[in-house]
Amino acid sequence: MATLVMKFGGTSVGSPEAMDRAARLVARYRETWPNLVVVTSALAGVTDALLRAAREAVAGDMEAVRQIRRRLEDRHRAVVEALLPQGTQDPVWFLIQNRLDTFFRLAEAMAVLGEATPRGLDAIAATGERMSAPLLARVLEVRGVPAVAVDAAQIIVTDDQHQAAHPLEEPTRARIQERLKPLLAQGQVPVVTGFVGATEKGVTTTLGRGGSDYSASLIAAWLPADEVWIWTDVNGVMTADPRLVPEARTVPQLSYREVAELAYFGAKVLHPKTIRPVVEAGIPLRVRNTFDPDGPDTLIVRERKHAVPGRIMALTTIPRLAMVIVEGRGMLGVPGVAARTFAAVAATDTSVLMISQASSEQSICFVIPEDTVEGVVQALEDTFQRELARRDIDRIWAMEKVAIVTAVGEGLRNTPGVAGRIFGALGQAGVNIIAIAQGASEVGLSMVVAQDAAQRALQALHPLTQGDAV
Ligand code: ASP
Ligand code: MG
């Protein structure tokens, strides 16, 4: 019998209406997928609020913690009252209050100590899913869908790197099988807490922010499932940000590498690391919209079968960047300039988004977030003090208010004429290209343009996402 894992993101369970919709989707798809595993995030904003409470506690402001607690209680009570016939008489309401009590005591302990350990933060952060999963399971149950909440601390075994714990394959695979298979065999729908794990000793860990996708992906890969659906609040992955390009559409199919490239260049899609287990297992993953369940969605696969060579699949942009340029005729052929440049940048803890070097070797330029530019230029001036004095390096300067525009598509770069057509479209729109680089993988072409030309660039390139090869 076919097995499906569905994951609901925070906005998909974030209000009584959303949770109602999520429950109806589970009931509906259970008809076609008798083996159904649900993974859920905390209600939208809850994890943020919990971690904020921890910070307030450390700062000694227990009144702020009390307020956050009240607000969390209100949000969950609203769902309980709207969707459970017994309202706050339902046993799940006592469980939720229990969780909130535990959270509050942890915060009190942090206030006393004046510090929060990573372990304590994980215990607090996990509270959100430890309320949402039992709540969703209960909503399903009262509607006649046999569901049981499963705390992922029982099935996702991780190392002890708190706040970004790594799942351990062997024990996790075994626990997933032992715990979930029998439930499925009994016709139950397990509703698993996303984001949460535990060490071998049972100490709660979390998989990192946004980690529920990762939970779903691990469960699907190691159960194994036939498909994974990530329910979110948009229709899958779009050809471009619809706020910038009104004609943007859903991309029907993307390869894993295309997703990785889009994520690297700023598109708010799935984090590639989190979906890797399913992609590697060859399990198709769909990104669907809870608020438009019959609308278009995106299927993510390991390898796209019908890749049109040279076709742009999607466009993305990163705003508020600066391009730093190290230039000088004396750099020609001097070994080690690039290494020293990037070592100096790395020492400032700045991440470099794009690098390009002119073939004449007279300049190196790279792109960094705008707000890091002062520190980086200073660090480079310190590093190259001697070369600057000797005029081997003429100057180190930054071009501010730039953006990266990236076109993503398998085969974009080894199809003749693609770059020409991309540059042609930008030229016609009057967009000046400041620098060009190849992306992190083989599937992207990135261009630096002035910040105020970025939207025009996206709109000029968007028609190339349609039809055949560019
Ligand atoms: N609730 C967690 C977070 O907000 C995990 C998730 O939503 O995926 O980071
Ligand atoms: Mg979330």
Side-chain angles (χ1 to χ4, degrees):
M1 272 199 297
T3 304
L4 174 66
V5 173
M6 352 172 121
K7 178 252 163 177
F8 291 100
T11 50
S12 299
V13 291
S15 64
E17 300 72 37
M19 181 95 56
D20 172 52
R21 235 179 248 122
R24 277 190 278 140
L25 288 168
V26 173
R28 167 173 164 190
Y29 287 105
R30 194 167 168 265
E31 313 262 303
T32 32
W33 298 84
N35 287 334
L36 182 57
V37 177
V38 172
V39 176
T40 186
S41 289
L43 276 57
V46 167
T47 314
D48 284 334
L50 290 163
L51 291 171
R52 194 164 5 99
R55 282 197 299 275
E56 299 286 14
V58 171
D61 190 349
M62 285 308 287
E63 191 39 46
V65 177
R66 232 166 258 127
Q67 248 174 46
I68 291 172
R69 190 210 142 115
R70 266 197 297 276
R71 171 102 185 90
L72 292 177
E73 192 168 334
D74 290 346
R75 296 227 8 231
H76 289 82
R77 190 193 298 106
V79 179
V80 165
E81 283 178 341
L83 303 183
L84 297 176
Q86 288 179 277
T88 51
Q89 294 307 305
D90 194 287
V92 83
W93 179 242
F94 297 100
L95 182 140
I96 287 169
Q97 282 186 311
N98 230 301
R99 297 277 194 253
L100 288 171
D101 287 343
T102 305
F103 145 68
F104 193 77
R105 281 201 304 274
L106 283 162
E108 277 178 327
M110 287 176 180
V112 171
L113 292 169
E115 77 171 343
T117 60
R119 176 174 166 158
L121 287 171
D122 270 353
I124 282 195
T127 306
E129 276 74 6
R130 286 176 165 162
M131 297 190 285
S132 66
L135 182 50
L136 177 56
R138 197 59 198 127
V139 171
L140 288 167
E141 256 190 303
V142 302
R143 295 176 181 200
V145 178
V148 267
V150 174
D151 190 323
Q154 298 170 2
I155 57 174
I156 309 259
V157 185
T158 71
D159 64 10
D160 61 0
Q161 207 182 306
H162 286 281
Q163 300 194 278
H166 293 285
L168 307 175
E169 177 161 357
E170 289 295 304
T172 302
R173 190 194 284 276
R175 304 258 191 114
I176 285 172
Q177 308 260 334
E178 282 160 26
R179 181 84 176 99
L180 300 184
K181 281 263 168 77
L183 292 174
L184 294 174
Q186 293 160 22
Q188 301 265 7
V189 176
V191 181
V192 185
T193 57
F195 181 51
V196 178
T199 64
E200 232 131 1
K201 290 191 182 131
V203 179
T204 297
T205 55
T206 63
L207 305 179
R209 295 306 310 271
S212 294
D213 291 338
Y214 201 13
S215 312
S217 177
L218 295 168
I219 291 168
W222 294 339
L223 195 53
D226 297 282
E227 268 191 46
V228 187
W229 296 355
I230 304 282
W231 288 105
T232 176
D233 54 3
V234 290
N235 286 86
V237 180
M238 309 288 285
T239 47
D241 183 340
R243 284 166 305 182
L244 300 175
V245 183
E247 318 77 83
R249 323 170 302 281
T250 295
V251 184
Q253 211 182 97
L254 279 177
S255 73
Y256 177 75
R257 296 201 304 169
E258 289 167 338
V259 171
E261 190 78 358
L262 280 171
Y264 183 81
F265 283 105
K268 284 199 185 54
V269 292
L270 301 159
H271 192 302
K273 180 187 113 184
T274 66
I275 60 165
R276 195 160 175 172
V278 276
V279 173
E280 279 180 351
I283 300 168
L285 179 141
R286 287 185 181 281
V287 185
R288 308 189 61 175
N289 189 350
T290 334
F291 302 92
D292 182 17
D294 299 305
D297 64 0
T298 302
L299 176 68
I300 291 158
V301 293
R302 190 163 36 188
E303 220 65 70
R304 223 151 29 79
K305 283 206 192 68
H306 306 293
V308 180
R311 161 90 166 275
I312 296 178
M313 299 304 288
L315 295 159
T316 181
T317 184
I318 311 181
R320 288 179 295 281
L321 303 175
M323 187 164 85
V324 178
I325 299 124
V326 179
E327 64 185 7
R329 268 154 304 180
M331 281 167 64
L332 187 77
V334 178
V337 175
R340 285 167 63 201
T341 299
F342 293 110
V345 177
T348 67
D349 238 344
T350 304
S351 69
V352 175
L353 288 149
M354 196 181 122
I355 300 171
S356 106
Q357 181 175 29
S359 56
S360 68
E361 287 188 57
Q362 292 182 32
S363 72
I364 295 173
C365 51
F366 57 92
V367 179
I368 53 176
E370 199 169 68
D371 55 2
T372 61
V373 71
E374 245 176 79
V376 166
V377 169
Q378 187 60 56
L380 290 171
E381 281 171 354
D382 293 347
T383 300
F384 291 120
Q385 222 171 359
R386 225 162 358 117
E387 286 78 0
L388 283 163
R390 274 198 308 237
R391 301 305 223 100
D392 284 345
I393 289 177
D394 292 322
R395 59 179 189 149
I396 296 168
W397 60 290
M399 191 184 286
E400 295 188 53
K401 293 194 171 48
V402 300
I404 292 179
V405 170
T406 302
V408 172
E410 294 273 0
L412 213 57
R413 287 220 302 264
N414 34 36
T415 309
V418 167
R421 257 166 280 186
I422 287 177
F423 302 152
L426 291 178
Q428 256 171 19
V431 177
N432 180 38
I433 303 171
I434 300 165
I436 303 162
Q438 307 195 333
S441 65
E442 302 254 296
V443 299
L445 191 68
S446 293
M447 290 146 287
V448 179
V449 301
Q451 167 85 52
D452 59 12
Q455 183 168 8
R456 217 165 353 117
L458 290 175
Q459 289 175 348
L461 294 176
H462 195 263
L464 306 183
T465 63
Q466 243 150 358
D468 297 333
V470 172

